């Protein structure tokens, strides 16, 4: 415990400009508008290379969840720059949501690259509050690298279940806490406060598989995987889907 606190203090000293800007109320608007979209695009590119085969496998059965009309209506929570679009089946009707409206430039680029999809709308909304989306109106909900930063995981999962039709599926790929006895978990604990501040509320030590197991899915498939990210404390991940 003492060594974690000492190393946290050292890391905070290295990041003191960010802490100062946060104290002055200037970091959050700068982070949301400029820093986070920029850094997420850079880190996201590296993460996508590592995660591509897992996403291809994860989304392979998306067509199985088409509605009675034969269409697939999909809602993505925390769309960001649209890195998942390439994995969705042709003709899929996509509703994009994100709490941060400043991804528009990268999102537009992704839409132009993925014209096999029909883009319904973009909603500025938090995962915990999707009131703009009617209950039971979508066949699939996708959430990747988002549950780490929502204010309430359980509320986000409740909203996902609400907007899904019966028999619809919730897809996820998220980084999670490492084994408590491991060095990875030790460094996650060290980095936690500074990482959360710098990366717009991202929490390193959430055991998200527990939240998913507690949610009311009729069927749940979870796989624990590792995605090696050099100098990044986010190697442990979970991937899978749950059926309403």
């Amino acid at each position: 415990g003492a060594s974690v606190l000492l190393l946290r203090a050292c890391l905070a000293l290295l990041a003191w400009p960010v802490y100062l800007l946060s104290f002055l109320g200037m970091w959050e608007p700068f982070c949301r508008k400029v820093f986070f979209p920029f850094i997420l695009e850079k880190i996201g590119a590296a993460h996508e290379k590592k995660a591509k085969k897992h996403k291809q496998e994860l989304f392979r059965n998306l067509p199985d969840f088409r509605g009675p009309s034969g269409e697939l209506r999909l809602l993505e929570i925390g769309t960001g720059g649209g890195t998942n679009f390439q994995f969705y089946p042709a003709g899929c009707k996509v509703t994009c949501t994100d709490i941060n409206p400043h991804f528009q430039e990268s999102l537009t680029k992704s839409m132009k690259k993925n014209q096999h999809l029909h883009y319904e709308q973009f909603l500025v909304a938090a995962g915990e509050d999707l009131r703009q989306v009617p209950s039971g109106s979508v066949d699939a909900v996708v959430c990747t690298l988002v549950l780490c930063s929502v204010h309430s995981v359980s509320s986000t999962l409740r909203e996902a279940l609400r907007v899904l039709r019966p028999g619809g599926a919730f897809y996820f790929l998220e980084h999670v806490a490492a084994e408590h006895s491991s060095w990875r978990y030790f460094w996650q604990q060290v980095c936690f406060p500074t990482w959360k501040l710098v990366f717009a509320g991202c929490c390193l030590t959430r055991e998200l598989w527990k939240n998913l197991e507690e949610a009311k899915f009729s069927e749940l498939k979870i796989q624990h995987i590792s995605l090696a990210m050099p100098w990044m404390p986010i190697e442990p991940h979970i991937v899978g889907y749950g059926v309403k």
Side-chain angles (χ1 to χ4, degrees), residues 91-241:
C92 178
K93 294 187 173 181
V94 181
T95 295
C96 307
T97 73
D98 205 294
I99 195 173
N100 188 344
H102 300 294
F103 287 102
Q104 198 61 50
E105 184 178 346
S106 55
L107 187 61
T108 301
K109 288 180 183 177
S110 292
M111 287 177 170
K112 288 179 179 177
K113 288 180 182 177
N114 296 279
Q115 296 188 18
H116 63 291
L117 306 176
H118 298 295
Y119 301 101
E120 301 278 84
Q121 57 183 330
F122 177 83
L123 304 175
V124 179
E128 301 94 330
D129 184 5
L130 300 171
R131 68 181 71 182
Q132 300 171 76
V133 184
S135 299
S137 62
V138 298
D139 305 301
V141 174
V142 172
C143 189
T144 61
L145 301 183
V146 172
L147 294 179
C148 59
S149 56
V150 296
H151 291 299
S152 171
V153 177
S154 57
S155 295
T156 300
L157 293 176
R158 278 197 298 271
E159 277 291 81
L161 281 163
R162 180 186 67 78
V163 302
L164 278 172
R165 66 166 176 80
F170 174 76
Y171 287 80
F172 56 88
L173 187 152
E174 301 283 345
H175 69 81
V176 293
E179 289 284 342
H180 285 207
S181 59
S182 68
W183 277 107
R184 287 194 187 98
Y185 187 71
F186 173 83
W187 287 111
Q188 285 180 335
Q189 292 276 27
V190 169
C191 296
F192 183 91
T194 299
W195 182 278
K196 186 176 181 181
L197 176 62
V198 172
F199 292 101
C202 176
C203 297
L204 292 170
T205 57
R206 287 184 174 175
E207 298 175 331
L208 295 172
W209 63 90
K210 294 181 179 180
N211 299 96
L212 288 157
E213 289 166 354
E214 291 168 1
K216 296 179 180 179
F217 291 106
S218 61
E219 178 186 350
L220 181 63
K221 296 184 181 296
I222 299 179
Q223 182 183 2
H224 290 256
I225 61 173
S226 292
L227 298 181
M229 298 287 291
W231 304 101
M232 304 279 281
I234 56 170
E235 183 171 331
H237 283 64
I238 55 170
V239 60
Y241 66 93

